[in-house]
Amino acid sequence: MRAYLFGTGLLSAITGGVTLLRTARSDEPFTWRTALAWLSWGITLALAIGSVVDTRRARRAKLIPLDSPVEGDQKRLLRERLKR
């Protein structure tokens, strides 16, 4: 579980969210650029979580979508898990 929670994608999405929260607390008005930044952060977070879920499913020999970043590595991930 530690490998999933401390993955670089998830950590970068969380730190990006913290940065956005700090800027939201300032006295600047909410503009369309701010809205796009929040939308971008939401998409980044969703992709990072999806990648974690796909990796976990691949290691447990379950089906994952063909557009997943770990789609070609299923056998290798399963072998690594079975070694442990």
Side-chain angles (χ1 to χ4, degrees):
M1 189 69 164
R2 205 173 344 135
Y4 303 122
L5 291 178
F6 297 116
T8 57
L10 205 52
L11 281 177
S12 65
I14 291 169
T15 56
V18 169
T19 304
L20 280 174
L21 279 174
R22 285 184 183 164
T23 58
R25 296 172 90 189
S26 66
D27 293 335
E28 294 182 29
F30 190 82
T31 64
W32 62 273
R33 289 184 183 99
T34 309
L36 284 178
W38 279 104
L39 179 66
S40 173
W41 175 77
I43 291 170
T44 302
L45 184 65
L47 287 172
I49 291 171
S51 178
V52 167
V53 169
D54 286 347
T55 303
R56 183 175 170 90
R57 290 180 62 108
R59 287 187 181 200
R60 296 184 181 268
K62 294 183 180 178
L63 293 176
I64 58 172
L66 295 176
D67 65 345
S68 172
V70 294
E71 193 270 324
D73 297 334
Q74 286 175 312
K75 291 180 183 178
R76 181 185 57 81
L77 291 170
L78 182 61
R79 252 183 301 177
E80 287 176 6
R81 180 170 187 256
L82 292 176
K83 268 197 248 182
R84 290 188 267 150

